[in-house]
């Protein structure tokens, strides 16, 4: 048995190796294409920011209070690794003031010091979009439908969308006050572990998974009933748009997302094929006050973040979106010293034919094994005879009888192109 190594990846992080990593590439490429087609451009932003940027996203939330990777840099500045994507995007918006609507997508490693649990990582990766500068509820529809269609394009079927509205910032603040006092009157009926949330973040009590709390809050006031006429209208327009796009959803007044900045529409997609409690594949919503809270101009915004790890776990559970075929077109087996393998791979690759080869002067048998393992269609065999004749043997690895023919080395590229 191999000795266990001195160093391992940190707890609740993972290495993604080939061929699994090819799925990540394919997922990213799919996402990039779909978002580009809808007018979203890539935003690359730093993986760390001044601590204050993230503190604004939720002083009352676990993500900020308990899970942030904070550090002091060598210049004495208080910094933090990004726990989520939205705050950085809004910070970049405030800094550069691009023309609106500003529509961007990102693929971002995010860091949260969470308890180890299936589907929960300390470094996870989000594919996300953010659209700033419009409060049109049809933009909410665009954002939600893009995520629904992304999941659909992967082949996922057992995905359930929940939506809710938090109302305008004023609606939310008034509701939170009402809810807090309602909960204070029933504090002794709540599970003790949920009591501390009543003051800090009463809406989080509503999505507690603890039985005792769930029973106690069953008839708590609901934010959807406390919406102003304007907020209710906007929510209606969003539902109408989802209906028209044929995206099924459930209105869930108990949907409270884990970040503080939400106003109006919030949503979350659950992967029903996932057994773990951590079955949220992606979610998001509006954050019309965030740009201002971060010191910029008042600018509405909406977006989503979708976890790559959980999305791929859901794909596994549904048996869809497997690893793409990454076999090279040819594998060169050179038992005549290796110079032809060295030079042919360069020529073939430059001609757009993907090629791989063996190194270290391995035996014929061992090189043929590698050729087989590579999954390539063609093995190009170079032996002393071939070199002497200025030829190569081309073997069709997919033919049952290992069909093989000799051709001139100089005719190889034309030959392969004609058989492609
Ligand atoms: P979030 O719901 O905290 O939202 O995270 C988005 C997604 O990231 C989750 O649905 C989940 O798939 C994944 N995720 C979060 N934490 C973990 C973890 N510890 N391990 C594995 N996956 C995880 C946000 O972060 C918001 N920024 C979304 C947003 C964008 N709202 C508006 N715009």
């Amino acid at each position: 048995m191999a000795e266990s190594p001195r160093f391992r990846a940190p707890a609740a992080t993972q290495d993604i190796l080939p061929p699994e990593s090819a799925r990540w590439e394919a997922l990213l490429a799919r996402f990039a294409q779909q978002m580009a087609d809808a007018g979203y451009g890539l935003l690359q932003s730093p993986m760390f920011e001044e601590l204050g940027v993230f503190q604004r996203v939720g002083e009352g939330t676990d993500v900020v209070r308990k899970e942030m990777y904070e550090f002091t840099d060598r210049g004495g500045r208080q910094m933090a690794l990004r726990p989520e994507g939205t705050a950085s995007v809004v910070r970049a918006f405030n800094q550069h003031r691009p023309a609106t609507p500003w529509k961007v997508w990102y693929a971002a490693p995010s860091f949260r010091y969470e308890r180890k649990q299936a589907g929960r990582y300390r470094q996870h990766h989000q594919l996300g979009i953010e659209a700033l500068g419009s409060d049109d509820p049809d933009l909410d529809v665009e954002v939600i439908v893009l995520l629904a269609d992304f999941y659909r394009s992967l082949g996922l079927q057992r995905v359930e969308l929940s939506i809710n509205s938090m109302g305008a910032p004023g609606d939310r603040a008034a509701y939170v006050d009402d809810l807090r006092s309602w909960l204070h009157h029933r504090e002794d009926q709540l599970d003790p572990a949920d009591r501390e949330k009543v003051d800090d973040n009463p809406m989080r009590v509503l999505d507690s998974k603890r039985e005792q709390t769930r029973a106690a809050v069953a008839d708590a006031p609901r934010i959807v009933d406390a919406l102003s006429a304007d907020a209710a209208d906007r929510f209606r327009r969003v539902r109408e748009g989802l209906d028209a796009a044929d995206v099924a959803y459930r209105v869930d007044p108990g949907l409270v997302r884990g970040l503080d900045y939400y106003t109006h529409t919030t949503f979350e997609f659950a992967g029903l094929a996932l057994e773990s409690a951590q079955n949220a594949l992606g979610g998001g919503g509006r954050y019309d006050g965030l740009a201002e809270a971060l010191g910029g101009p008042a600018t509405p915004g909406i977006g989503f973040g979708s976890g790559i790890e959980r999305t791929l776990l859901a794909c596994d559970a549904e048996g869809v979106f497997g690893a793409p075929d990454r076999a090279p077109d040819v594998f060169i087996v050179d038992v005549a010293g290796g110079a032809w393998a060295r030079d042919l791979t360069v020529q073939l690759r430059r001609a757009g034919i993907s090629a791989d080869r063996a190194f270290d002067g391995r035996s014929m048998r061992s090189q043929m094994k590698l050729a087989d393992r590579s999954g390539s269609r063609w093995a190009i065999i170079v032996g002393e005879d071939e070199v002497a004749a200025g030829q190569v043997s081309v073997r069709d690895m997919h033919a049952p009888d290992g069909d093989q023919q000799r051709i001139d080395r100089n005719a190889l590229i034309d030959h392969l192109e004609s058989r492609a």
Side-chain angles (χ1 to χ4, degrees), residues 84 86 112 114 121 124 126 130 257 261-262 280-282 303 307:
E84 60 102 51
T86 311
R112 300 180 187 180
E114 305 221 48
Y121 303 96
H124 73 278
Q126 288 188 19
E130 311 292 345
R257 308 236 330 111
Y261 46 62
Y262 291 111
L281 303 184

Side-chain angles (χ1 to χ4, degrees), residues 93 96-104 131-134 299:
F93 174 84
H96 303 286
R97 305 283 174 94
T100 56
W102 192 54
K103 305 208 295 186
V104 294
L132 282 106
S134 165
T299 310

Side-chain angles (χ1 to χ4, degrees), residues 38-300:
Y40 291 74
L42 171 66
L43 175 73
Q44 281 289 122
S45 64
M47 234 156 55
F48 60 98
E49 299 271 354
E50 278 179 48
L51 180 62
V53 171
F54 301 123
Q55 280 171 331
R56 300 295 189 288
V57 310
E59 260 126 345
T61 66
D62 284 355
V63 171
V64 171
R65 289 180 7 153
K66 301 186 185 157
E67 298 167 1
M68 201 124 78
Y69 279 87
E70 301 175 22
F71 62 98
T72 307
D73 76 7
R74 288 172 189 270
R77 300 174 199 88
Q78 288 286 102
M79 313 296 287
L81 297 185
R82 163 172 67 206
E84 60 102 51
T86 311
S88 307
V89 175
V90 175
R91 192 272 309 142
F93 174 84
N94 284 347
Q95 183 175 337
H96 303 286
R97 305 283 174 94
T100 56
W102 192 54
K103 305 208 295 186
V104 294
W105 69 270
Y106 51 87
S110 305
F111 304 85
R112 300 180 187 180
Y113 194 84
E114 305 221 48
R115 263 182 309 117
K116 268 173 72 174
Q117 208 177 328
R120 245 190 195 171
Y121 303 96
R122 291 189 179 156
Q123 175 175 337
H124 73 278
H125 299 79
Q126 288 188 19
L127 295 171
I129 64 175
E130 311 292 345
L132 282 106
S134 165
D135 70 354
D136 189 331
D138 288 356
L139 180 58
D140 305 28
V141 176
E142 168 169 305
V143 166
I144 299 173
V145 173
L146 281 172
L147 187 53
D149 284 355
F150 175 62
Y151 293 141
R152 200 180 298 183
S153 83
L154 302 177
L156 289 171
Q157 293 185 340
R158 302 195 53 214
V159 170
E160 184 182 69
L161 167 63
S162 301
I163 63 171
N164 194 13
S165 174
M166 299 281 149
D171 299 345
R172 178 175 171 150
Y175 167 75
V176 165
D177 284 345
D178 282 355
L179 179 63
R180 189 181 288 113
S181 62
W182 190 92
L183 289 168
H184 269 311
H185 284 107
R186 293 158 184 82
E187 211 157 326
D188 52 343
Q189 296 167 33
L190 303 177
D191 187 298
D194 288 318
R195 288 178 197 165
E196 66 167 46
K197 296 186 202 152
V198 173
D199 277 322
D200 291 344
N201 199 345
M203 286 177 80
R204 288 304 288 187
V205 179
L206 298 186
D207 72 346
S208 168
K209 304 260 180 312
R210 300 183 181 94
E211 263 323 304
Q212 187 183 338
T213 301
R214 291 184 77 86
V217 301
D219 55 353
R222 306 174 340 150
I223 188 149
V224 281
D225 299 325
L227 299 182
S228 60
D230 173 63
D233 265 355
R234 289 169 171 279
F235 194 40
R236 192 170 310 118
R237 177 84 186 174
V238 173
R239 297 196 311 269
E240 225 176 80
L242 295 176
D243 292 337
D246 216 11
V247 169
Y249 60 86
R250 192 163 68 85
V251 175
D252 178 1
L255 174 67
V256 180
R257 308 236 330 111
L259 297 155
D260 273 352
Y261 46 62
Y262 291 111
T263 56
H264 295 289
T265 311
T266 55
F267 59 94
E268 201 160 272
F269 287 85
L272 302 183
L274 291 181
E275 274 164 25
S276 98
Q278 305 304 320
N279 72 349
L281 303 184
R286 269 206 172 275
Y287 43 84
D288 291 348
L290 186 58
E292 214 174 354
L294 283 170
T299 310

Side-chain angles (χ1 to χ4, degrees), residues 324-330 354 373-377 398:
D325 183 10
R326 279 294 157 81
D329 299 324
V330 309
S354 58
R373 201 168 75 193
S374 78
S376 71
R377 168 78 195 276
H398 293 182

